[in-house]
Amino acid sequence: MVRTRTVLLLACCLMLSACGNNGVDQKQGTATEVGNDRATQQNETSGQASAPKEGTDKSTDTDKPETEPEVDTPADPSDEAVKSPDAEAPTEPKYHMNKVYRIVPNDDTVPEKVVLLTFDDGPKEEKMISQMIDTLDKHNAKAIFFVNGYRAKEHPELLKLIHDRGQIIGNHSWDHIDLKKENKQTVKKQIGDVQQIVKEATGSEPKFFRPPFGSGGDIVKEVALSHDLLFMTWSNGSLDWESKSKNKPEAVVSNVLEQLHPGSNILMHELPWTVEALDTLLTKLEAKGYGFVDPRQIEPKIR
């Protein structure tokens, strides 16, 4: 009897021990499942915060407005559209003009083989001027456009065109008369009125003066100097104004090349055959090793 009770007690103990272990395993399994569920919920919640559901109010602080507010920013100085021609002007002269109107380097670090390009008796026609400037731009060249006042009065917009496209305007007197034959009062008006009309159209006065026919005495030079103008004639004539060169672009090119020398101050005009000759002329000059001096790099006095 005692043995039977002992066996029953042992059996009961074994059953109770098994039940206890199952309870622990169940609790551990439940805890693991709860932890996984919570982690899943946190991940889902985090994902919802970074990507709002459809219908979320877009005016909340965490979202950008539908239209970005306009902000004024300074213009990029590298943008060609906002550059002014005056802002691009060289800061220091690299050349000067001698007494025979040639362009001379200020020191040995500056190229000697350069030419100065000039065009007289404009402004006449927008088409011709635009074609000339297109060619100059192609060769990265600057030129002086010596204008007459009476033509500028008829077409002040052409003055602005020349200036806005980065070329340089020079003073060629008002009426294209022989100033050497005129009195001082007339000379003052012929030069001063051109200074004024160019300033009204472009905001700045010319810095270079060429007398019509290259004719100017002491009075003309004195008046030009009073306006801080560099007086010049030329040292290389294209002869594009002569009848034998009319409608002959090749003659214009030939005439310039025959007189070519370092520092050539080349006289040309706003004429159809000169416009046609220009690209060929500049190409040939480059092939001979010549560059094109920027007029703004020339000192405002002869020496």
Side-chain angles (χ1 to χ4, degrees):
M1 187 74 172
V2 172
R3 183 177 295 176
T4 301
R5 288 179 180 176
T6 301
V7 171
L8 288 174
L9 287 172
L10 288 172
C12 288
C13 287
L14 289 172
M15 290 178 65
L16 289 172
S17 175
C19 289
N21 289 336
N22 286 338
V24 170
D25 291 341
Q26 288 177 354
K27 286 181 180 179
Q28 289 177 343
T30 301
T32 301
E33 289 177 3
V34 170
N36 290 338
D37 289 343
R38 286 177 180 173
T40 301
Q41 289 175 358
Q42 288 175 352
N43 289 337
E44 289 178 354
T45 303
S46 175
Q48 289 174 350
S50 61
K53 295 180 181 179
E54 289 184 5
T56 302
D57 184 0
K58 293 184 179 181
S59 64
T60 58
D61 292 339
T62 58
D63 296 311
K64 293 182 179 180
E66 291 184 353
T67 304
E68 293 284 350
E70 294 184 1
V71 179
D72 291 333
T73 57
D76 184 352
S78 65
D79 186 354
E80 293 296 331
V82 300
K83 282 184 178 180
S84 72
D86 293 334
E88 297 176 348
T91 55
E92 294 184 3
K94 295 182 179 180
Y95 296 88
H96 63 274
M97 187 172 291
N98 65 18
K99 294 180 180 179
V100 291
Y101 308 113
R102 294 186 181 186
I103 307 304
V104 182
N106 285 352
D107 55 58
D108 294 338
T109 65
V110 182
E112 181 184 15
K113 291 184 70 174
V114 296
V115 299
L116 174 63
L117 305 172
T118 69
F119 303 95
D120 286 12
D121 297 354
K124 295 178 182 178
E125 297 178 11
E126 179 180 355
K127 182 178 180 181
M128 281 199 294
I129 292 174
S130 294
Q131 289 176 339
M132 293 166 78
I133 297 178
D134 286 344
T135 301
L136 292 170
D137 287 348
K138 176 182 176 181
H139 293 270
N140 194 28
K142 300 293 184 183
I144 304 175
F145 288 75
F146 282 105
V147 302
N148 295 126
Y150 77 95
R151 293 188 189 276
K153 184 178 180 181
E154 293 176 359
H155 297 289
E157 75 281 0
L158 297 183
L159 296 177
K160 193 172 188 308
L161 170 64
I162 295 168
H163 178 267
D164 288 352
R165 291 198 59 181
Q167 298 299 324
I168 293 83
I169 297 175
N171 187 326
H172 198 41
S173 84
W174 189 272
D175 288 312
H176 202 281
I177 59 177
D178 188 345
L179 296 178
K180 195 172 184 179
K181 298 178 181 179
E182 303 296 330
N183 60 41
K184 189 171 184 177
Q185 188 62 34
T186 300
V187 173
K188 283 184 175 181
K189 185 168 180 58
Q190 285 285 318
I191 295 177
D193 286 356
V194 173
Q195 293 293 96
Q196 183 62 32
I197 197 171
V198 173
K199 183 176 182 180
E200 289 174 356
T202 68
S204 57
E205 294 183 343
K207 302 298 182 184
F208 304 94
F209 174 75
R210 174 177 283 157
F213 317 109
S215 178
D218 292 339
I219 291 176
V220 177
K221 292 179 180 180
E222 178 187 339
V223 174
L225 183 60
S226 71
H227 288 281
D228 296 322
L229 288 161
L230 177 59
F231 179 100
M232 72 172 76
T233 60
W234 58 89
S235 67
N236 184 325
S238 66
L239 304 181
D240 60 354
W241 63 92
E242 292 190 350
S243 58
K244 64 181 180 181
S245 298
K246 186 176 181 179
N247 297 320
K248 296 179 180 178
E250 67 280 2
V252 176
V253 175
S254 177
N255 290 333
V256 171
L257 296 182
E258 286 176 2
Q259 306 169 64
L260 186 61
H261 56 268
S264 287
N265 182 347
I266 304 174
L267 167 63
M268 295 176 282
H269 293 77
E270 188 183 321
L271 295 167
W273 47 93
T274 302
V275 175
E276 188 176 346
L278 190 58
D279 185 37
T280 300
L281 174 60
L282 301 191
T283 300
K284 288 183 177 293
L285 288 170
E286 289 173 322
K288 291 180 177 292
Y290 280 82
F292 311 110
V293 65
D294 187 327
R296 296 168 298 181
Q297 292 182 331
I298 302 172
E299 290 181 7
K301 61 181 179 179
I302 292 176
R303 62 183 175 95

